[in-house]
Amino acid sequence: MKPTTPYKRVLYIAGQIVLAFLLCYHGKATPAVVTDPVAENMLMFQRSNGGWNKHLDEKAVNYNKTYTPEEQASIRSKATALDATIDNEATTKEIKYLVKANKKTDNKAYLDAAERGIQYLLSAQYENGGWPQYYPDKSSYRSQVTFNDNAIINVITVMEDIVAGKNDFDAVNKSFIPKAAAAIQKAISCILATQIKANGKLTAWCTQYNAKTLVPEMARKFELASISAFESVNIVRFLMRQPNPSPEMKQAITAAVQWFDAVKIPGHSFVEIADAKQPKGKDRVFVEDANSTIWARFYEIETNRPMFSGRDSEKKYSVAEIEAERRVGYAWYGNWPAKLLDKEYPAWLKAN
């Protein structure tokens, strides 16, 4: 019943305003949480230890896909699996996306998931400063200290962003900053300890190392213990990013650059050609090219000779001697160090 006197009408209207306010902020009119479909999929795929696997049914995870309720249930049922990894940008890619999604949506669930991922990375680091390819799964070569495909460098980049508070990592809990800084210093120690010395001279780095002895080891069957021109480039770039580099760091950088220069292959290219005799109708061949300088992916430690291997793990000195499937399906040559030698190292040297 409505009030009949002016005084009571004022009280009635005031009461309605207060009630509307309470309803707005305590339940019925609460603003909806903003979501990002890719980030939502990342939450679904995250393992309970904080990391992510890279595969679903032996294929790369597709975060842009809309999964059926049955698929979602199956994915969530694997939450306790021990297959989280840093291979192929897994875990680091998700962390970087989630902090950006949190910044765009102000959805704290994304930040919480990213922080669990960061804690996973910190927990996975060995005392010697390296990271395994998988954690906690240590079967086969998964326990090795893994520079392969920039795995460790991707982790260190996340740590650098945490310390610097850049690339939207400024939202991350500040308690992670000293932990990330310590992880970087341990990683530097590992990098200096694993730089390969051949014939008394520092060179560059192998793709993977024994977790305990830090001796170079074979990873996959076609990735023999060697010096890698690909992975070593971003290791050097990481060292060059460090402020006030120590004499040991300067020595490591300079030695690696000298090695890159010594093993370059001028006047050649590695090109794809049509070849009806091959299973996929194509091949890749090493040819003369006066306008090209390239590097081999792997070099023999003792001799600096380019080396290759198929799935039989037999060392060859010509890419033409391995099976077509591996010859076509792997990056055996590239120009990875070119920019480092031509521009980045001279600029670093001038500043240091």
Side-chain angles (χ1 to χ4, degrees):
M1 189 171 73
K2 292 184 179 181
T4 55
T5 68
Y7 176 72
K8 288 182 178 181
R9 279 199 296 271
V10 170
L11 290 178
Y12 175 79
I13 293 171
Q16 293 301 305
I17 292 172
V18 171
L19 179 60
F21 177 84
L22 291 173
L23 288 174
C24 180
Y25 289 95
H26 294 281
K28 294 184 179 180
T30 301
V33 175
V34 180
T35 60
D36 175 306
V38 170
E40 290 295 312
N41 278 340
M42 288 180 174
L43 298 189
M44 180 172 63
F45 275 93
Q46 189 173 25
R47 299 312 193 214
S48 55
N49 62 15
W52 282 264
N53 186 242
K54 62 179 181 175
H55 284 150
L56 176 65
D57 299 327
E58 303 302 319
K59 295 181 180 179
V61 173
N62 181 2
Y63 289 120
N64 293 299
K65 179 180 175 179
T66 299
Y67 292 91
T68 66
E70 293 75 18
E71 288 172 327
Q72 292 180 35
S74 176
I75 292 164
R76 290 193 171 94
S77 72
K78 298 178 176 68
T80 58
L82 304 180
D83 57 0
T85 180
I86 60 172
D87 193 32
N88 291 81
E89 295 187 276
T91 301
T92 55
K93 172 182 62 183
E94 287 84 357
I95 291 170
K96 290 188 286 188
Y97 188 94
L98 286 166
V99 295
K100 291 185 180 299
N102 168 70
K103 187 62 68 76
K104 291 179 180 178
T105 65
D106 198 29
N107 189 328
K108 192 172 183 298
Y110 303 155
L111 181 59
D112 290 343
E115 290 179 343
R116 290 197 301 275
I118 292 167
Q119 185 55 57
Y120 166 83
L121 295 179
L122 291 168
S123 299
Q125 188 178 26
Y126 288 134
E127 192 57 38
N128 62 25
W131 273 272
Q133 188 181 65
Y134 282 73
Y135 175 80
D137 182 359
K138 294 185 178 181
S139 60
S140 184
Y141 56 81
R142 293 181 170 188
S143 68
Q144 292 173 330
V145 170
T146 304
F147 293 111
N148 203 359
D149 292 328
N150 297 315
I152 284 178
I153 296 302
N154 291 335
V155 175
I156 297 173
T157 300
V158 169
M159 298 299 157
E160 290 178 303
D161 284 349
I162 293 169
V163 172
K166 63 182 182 180
N167 295 324
D168 296 320
F169 278 82
D170 54 305
V172 169
N173 191 302
K174 298 300 183 285
S175 66
F176 282 112
I177 294 176
K179 297 175 184 178
I184 291 169
Q185 292 307 308
K186 287 171 65 176
I188 291 172
S189 296
C190 181
I191 286 170
L192 296 179
T194 53
Q195 189 171 15
I196 295 170
K197 182 175 283 188
N199 302 313
K201 191 174 183 179
L202 285 174
T203 60
W205 288 266
C206 185
T207 57
Q208 295 187 200
Y209 294 79
N210 182 281
K212 295 181 179 179
T213 65
L214 295 182
V215 171
E217 288 188 337
M218 178 178 75
R220 288 176 290 185
K221 294 295 184 180
F222 49 90
E223 294 169 332
L224 307 182
S226 59
I227 310 173
S228 170
F230 172 55
E231 280 79 6
S232 295
V233 170
N234 279 333
I235 294 174
V236 172
R237 284 177 174 144
F238 162 69
L239 292 176
M240 291 198 306
R241 288 199 299 269
Q242 303 313 300
N244 304 314
S246 67
E248 293 79 11
M249 293 166 65
K250 291 180 179 180
Q251 181 185 34
I253 293 165
T254 300
V257 167
Q258 290 173 347
W259 180 82
F260 286 132
D261 189 58
V263 300
K264 64 187 178 185
I265 306 169
H268 289 82
S269 290
F270 188 51
V271 299
E272 185 174 296
I273 62 170
D275 187 345
K277 294 182 292 184
Q278 299 302 331
K280 293 187 176 182
K282 62 183 180 180
D283 202 351
R284 299 184 78 189
V285 294
F286 181 71
V287 297
E288 292 187 0
D289 182 348
N291 298 315
S292 172
T293 295
I294 57 175
W295 284 259
R297 177 75 173 263
F298 303 127
Y299 290 82
E300 190 173 48
I301 293 174
E302 300 83 5
T303 67
N304 279 337
R305 292 179 68 183
M307 51 178 276
F308 314 88
S309 177
R311 295 187 184 276
D312 58 4
S313 299
E314 291 188 14
K315 186 192 299 184
K316 306 293 184 181
Y317 295 108
S318 169
V319 70
E321 296 181 35
I322 65 173
E323 67 267 26
E325 181 270 332
R326 279 297 80 198
R327 188 166 60 246
V328 173
Y330 196 74
W332 293 107
Y333 290 98
N335 63 351
W336 314 292
K339 185 178 179 181
L340 177 70
L341 268 61
D342 294 343
K343 297 181 180 180
E344 297 168 351
Y345 176 69
W348 175 85
L349 193 62
K350 185 177 181 180
N352 291 274

